[in-house]
Amino acid sequence: MKRHLASLAVVAALAMSSAITTPVIAGPGVSTTWTYYSDDTYTQEVGWRQFTCQGRTIKSGIQTQYVVTTAEDYC
């Protein structure tokens, strides 16, 4: 029984530590923009997506694997 409680305590501690260190990039109070580029030179923008403070997603163009994420506004 003591071993079971100790295991639960370790799991709870790990869960709390990962929740604390996880950066917020989208959610209430943060507007986040993803800008997509054509290749790994990041010179030709081909699309974008934004998560607004109201919880809506707006997007245009195409999404690629070459992306820059920016948390823009704290609202």
Side-chain angles (χ1 to χ4, degrees):
M1 180 67 161
K2 286 182 182 180
R3 200 162 130 184
H4 181 69
L5 289 175
S7 295
L8 287 175
V10 169
V11 169
L14 289 173
M16 289 299 293
S17 66
S18 67
I20 292 169
T21 60
T22 303
V24 175
I25 61 167
V30 179
S31 172
T32 303
T33 300
W34 293 265
T35 306
Y36 298 95
Y37 295 89
S38 60
D39 57 29
D40 63 356
T41 62
Y42 295 88
T43 55
Q44 180 66 41
E45 183 179 323
V46 295
W48 59 270
R49 178 174 57 140
Q50 183 177 39
F51 185 83
T52 68
C53 292
Q54 294 77 29
R56 294 167 44 200
T57 299
I58 304 166
K59 59 185 176 178
S60 178
I62 62 171
Q63 296 178 16
T64 67
Q65 65 182 354
Y66 308 105
V67 61
V68 175
T69 304
T70 309
E72 295 181 338
D73 298 317
Y74 293 92
C75 38

